[in-house]
Amino acid sequence: MHDLAIQTRGLSKRYSTSVALQDLDLEVPRESVFAVLGPNGAGKTTLFKILTGLVGSSSGEATVLGCQLNNRDTEFRAKIGYVAENPVMYGYYTALEMAGFCASLYPRWNHKLVETAFKRLDIPENKKIKELSHGQNSALALTLALGPEPELLILDEPGTGLDPIKRRDYFKLLMDQVVSLGGTVLISSHTLHEVERLADRVAFLNQGRLVMVKDMADLKTGEKRIRVVFQGRPPESVFNQAGIVRVEQEGSGYLLTVTENPHGVLEELSRYPHFALEIIDLDLEDIFLEYAHREEAPQNG
Amino acid sequence: MVNSTMFRKEWRENAWKHILALVLLSAMGISLPFLFDWMSMIPIQFGGALGEAYQRQMSDFNLYMWANWYGKNLYQILIVYAVIIGMAQIAGEVGRNTAGFLFSKPLSRELIFRSKFISGAAAMITVMVVATILTYLAAMLAGRELPSLFLAGLVVNAAGLLVIYSLALMFSVVFDDQLKAGAAAFVVALVISVPGWIPGYGMYSLYRQMHAWPIYAGDGFQIPAMAVMLLATWLFYRIGLGRLLKKDF
């Protein structure tokens, strides 16, 4: 079996007046929770739509579950669960009828799992979809994506409108029923603390380009800030070490952003007389903001 | 050939449109035989060729029924009906934002398109046939007799209906807004009527063909005209499908 759930090579999507994706080379390993982060308009939704066959690419290749996307094969879609950013379903169906509609389109359907999710997420079975609240609609869309026991689940900003308890319940279900059974999850979310908890690999997209891909563990151990207050003025060369990507002056001290080997940098800094020297852990939100800032800086001159 | 789930979904989605069309067509059809005697009593207010034609029509029940059902009511309603159903098929999914949901399911776009086309066509043809049969039965109930040949006009009207329906379906792929799709289909449907207004070119008009006069006259089906109608349907369908295969949702 192919050990990658998704592989793209030089994937691009151009519209008449804009570029949504640019030469994207991405590899998503099977059995992983892979998060795609980026500011609005970064190309995340376009990428997800290409991977589900809703949008065609302008150039490049994409392989999903071993199936090339530039053909009309629908076999791979039977193995995918997809929830769009704002999922809209047929308002005239009840939630239960909608589940029946979806069940009949897939070669396999886990009725028991869907039933469990209906109960856990408090989805009113016999209410028409047009009468559901935003949160109930989200919960239904997420539940239906689990029905075909997908090998790959693609979630674009999942669970908007869901309360924190139901979000936690859903993601628990997701981890138990998809990830622990060997499935892969590709997720995009602005709820970064959730991504931090779920994802084991992270990609950062900006303006259609892939800026970085890292394991979550490497990201969190490699990306640090170091605060240092020197005794006297330090030599300029001290900031030219490998790994330091940004230096900000804060009063009499400095705040350094380090993307690799933070302990090596710390050791080097400690050679110079200082009043204070400390390493600051970053959470995913800090790292996200840092990358967004770094990407904006060259454009702003 | 078609996906039964899609087929049922389409019928449910358009149920009210079909019911409305059936009620409207049936009401028109059923009233026709009962109005014959009453209309025969109305003194003719106009002379010339028009007056003569009217007089001829009112002297022959079969001719009256044919002229009013196939010559006016049925094809006029069918054109509007076909555009309304066709324009919503793809553009309706886009407008309601359900296209992403539908087209991410494990069904090929060909199968979705085909299922939509066939379910719409089947429903409209059913409505047309039922309304015409009710019209035929109403004539019997009114104590009049219509030849069974009367029902043969349905074949030509079904072919004409498919032309307009496939045209609207094609525009429903081209435009994301179903009103624009409908407007475009109506414009083309209007252009198609032009030969009917030019003396000597009536046979090139789709709508004149839908009047089915050759069948009334006992000349049978106009095979070349039927072939052109089916060819046009196939062409509009293929263009629509081709556009759908490349469409981004």
Side-chain angles (χ1 to χ4, degrees):
Chain A
M1 192 190 271
H2 211 276
D3 59 353
L4 292 175
I6 297 168
Q7 185 173 36
T8 72
R9 288 274 172 269
L11 192 69
S12 298
K13 179 65 184 177
R14 288 177 289 276
Y15 293 103
S16 53
T17 55
S18 62
V19 178
L21 277 183
Q22 229 173 320
D23 286 328
L24 191 75
D25 292 338
L26 188 70
E27 290 185 347
V28 177
R30 280 185 189 261
E31 301 182 31
S32 66
V33 178
F34 193 103
V36 180
L37 305 180
N40 294 330
K44 305 182 295 288
T45 296
T46 303
L47 171 65
F48 288 7
K49 284 187 168 185
I50 290 175
L51 297 175
T52 47
L54 287 173
V55 165
S57 60
S58 304
S59 58
E61 287 175 8
T63 308
V64 175
L65 301 173
C67 183
Q68 282 270 348
L69 284 190
N70 53 1
N71 59 25
R72 292 181 190 174
D73 189 8
T74 56
E75 199 185 317
F76 77 98
R77 273 199 226 127
K79 300 174 191 164
I80 289 181
Y82 168 62
V83 181
E85 193 173 352
N86 294 303
V88 182
M89 292 164 283
Y90 300 107
Y92 48 85
Y93 279 133
T94 64
L96 204 59
E97 285 171 338
M98 195 70 247
F101 173 84
C102 291
S104 63
L105 297 178
Y106 286 89
R108 63 178 181 189
W109 189 262
N110 190 333
H111 291 277
K112 201 165 161 30
L113 172 60
V114 171
E115 205 177 295
T116 306
F118 262 74
K119 280 186 190 141
R120 263 207 230 174
L121 302 176
D122 285 334
I123 300 166
E125 290 182 350
N126 296 313
K127 213 170 176 181
K128 287 199 168 167
I129 288 171
K130 64 183 170 197
E131 292 161 1
L132 296 180
S133 70
H134 182 45
Q136 288 170 331
N137 190 69
S138 279
L140 178 62
L142 289 165
T143 298
L144 297 180
L146 295 177
E149 298 180 319
E151 287 179 35
L152 171 64
L153 191 57
I154 299 178
L155 305 173
D156 192 358
E157 297 292 338
T160 50
L162 276 185
D163 65 53
I165 298 167
K166 293 209 180 73
R167 281 182 82 94
R168 192 196 55 202
D169 283 352
Y170 177 77
F171 285 116
K172 181 163 185 338
L173 210 60
L174 175 82
M175 297 308 276
D176 291 346
Q177 298 295 329
V178 179
V179 182
S180 60
L181 298 178
T184 308
V185 178
L186 182 68
I187 185 171
S188 146
S189 175
H190 289 304
T191 314
L192 296 176
H193 65 273
E194 207 162 65
V195 173
E196 191 170 350
R197 195 160 47 82
L198 295 170
D200 38 38
R201 206 162 162 78
V202 179
F204 189 84
L205 278 186
N206 193 32
Q207 296 191 319
R209 287 180 304 105
L210 184 64
V211 177
M212 71 82 182
V213 185
K214 274 188 181 173
D215 279 339
M216 181 68 86
D218 293 345
L219 194 67
K220 289 180 72 179
T221 52
E223 302 263 344
K224 302 279 183 191
R225 284 213 181 101
I226 294 173
R227 182 176 286 126
V228 56
V229 183
F230 291 109
Q231 295 176 14
R233 196 173 170 79
E236 279 298 316
S237 60
V238 76
F239 298 129
N240 293 338
Q241 294 179 61
I244 300 176
V245 292
R246 196 147 63 96
V247 179
E248 294 162 279
Q249 191 153 10
E250 275 192 335
S252 57
Y254 296 89
L255 191 63
L256 314 180
T257 305
V258 181
T259 54
E260 57 189 76
N261 189 23
H263 293 285
V265 173
L266 192 76
E267 202 180 310
E268 186 63 27
L269 292 172
S270 67
R271 290 187 192 177
Y272 299 91
H274 55 270
F275 291 120
L277 179 61
E278 63 172 335
I279 200 155
I280 304 166
D281 286 334
L282 299 179
D283 61 18
L284 189 60
E285 187 163 335
D286 295 324
I287 296 168
F288 174 84
L289 292 172
E290 179 56 41
Y291 271 93
H293 177 87
R294 235 179 276 164
E295 284 293 303
E296 270 172 28
Q299 292 157 39
N300 297 339
Chain B
M1 191 180 173
V2 294
N3 179 275
S4 57
T5 305
M6 277 299 300
F7 199 84
R8 283 195 300 274
K9 167 199 166 288
E10 291 299 315
W11 274 64
R12 179 162 179 177
E13 204 165 288
N14 293 302
W16 281 109
K17 293 177 193 168
H18 296 312
I19 290 169
L20 199 69
L22 180 63
V23 168
L24 189 66
L25 271 174
S26 301
M28 285 174 133
I30 292 167
S31 64
L32 275 179
F34 295 102
L35 289 173
F36 180 69
D37 288 336
W38 180 74
M39 286 180 75
S40 307
M41 287 185 285
I42 299 172
I44 299 168
Q45 301 288 331
F46 38 84
L50 203 63
E52 266 177 43
Y54 183 75
Q55 211 162 20
R56 204 167 61 240
Q57 201 186 101
M58 297 317 296
S59 62
D60 179 349
F61 179 72
N62 186 20
L63 177 62
Y64 160 83
M65 286 299 290
W66 205 283
N68 282 285
W69 185 242
Y70 289 121
K72 286 182 198 149
N73 299 348
L74 185 62
Y75 90 90
Q76 287 171 353
I77 299 286
L78 284 184
I79 293 165
V80 178
Y81 184 26
V83 169
I84 288 173
I85 297 295
M87 72 186 196
Q89 295 289 40
I90 302 297
E93 299 278 359
V94 176
R96 287 193 311 259
N97 293 318
T98 50
F101 179 76
L102 178 62
F103 288 99
S104 63
K105 295 285 169 278
L107 296 175
S108 69
R109 292 189 179 193
E110 285 100 324
L111 184 59
I112 292 174
F113 195 68
R114 198 188 313 132
S115 301
K116 278 178 169 280
F117 176 78
I118 292 176
S119 69
M124 286 190 289
I125 290 171
T126 304
V127 165
M128 178 185 80
V129 169
V130 169
T132 306
I133 290 173
L134 289 176
T135 303
Y136 184 81
L137 294 174
M140 287 168 72
L141 208 69
R144 303 276 178 182
E145 206 172 305
L146 269 177
S148 53
L149 191 70
F150 181 75
L151 298 175
L154 283 171
V155 178
V156 189
N157 276 273
L161 167 83
L162 290 179
V163 175
I164 301 298
Y165 174 50
S166 58
L167 176 73
L169 183 69
M170 178 188 79
F171 281 122
S172 129
V173 181
V174 175
F175 296 103
D176 286 344
D177 179 344
Q178 54 175 315
L179 289 178
K180 282 184 187 165
F186 268 122
V187 168
V188 177
L190 210 68
V191 171
I192 293 173
S193 75
V194 169
W197 299 98
I198 305 169
Y201 287 87
M203 63 177 290
Y204 298 111
S205 160
L206 173 72
Y207 312 123
R208 286 286 182 91
Q209 289 294 337
M210 288 170 84
H211 293 178
W213 284 120
I215 299 172
Y216 170 80
D219 295 338
F221 293 108
Q222 300 296 296
I223 302 299
M226 295 275 291
V228 170
M229 284 189 237
L230 294 177
L231 188 70
T233 301
W234 178 82
L235 195 69
F236 293 142
Y237 178 89
R238 293 301 307 180
I239 294 171
L241 178 59
R243 292 290 296 249
L244 181 68
L245 293 177
K246 292 179 191 152
K247 196 173 174 78
D248 288 344
F249 291 103

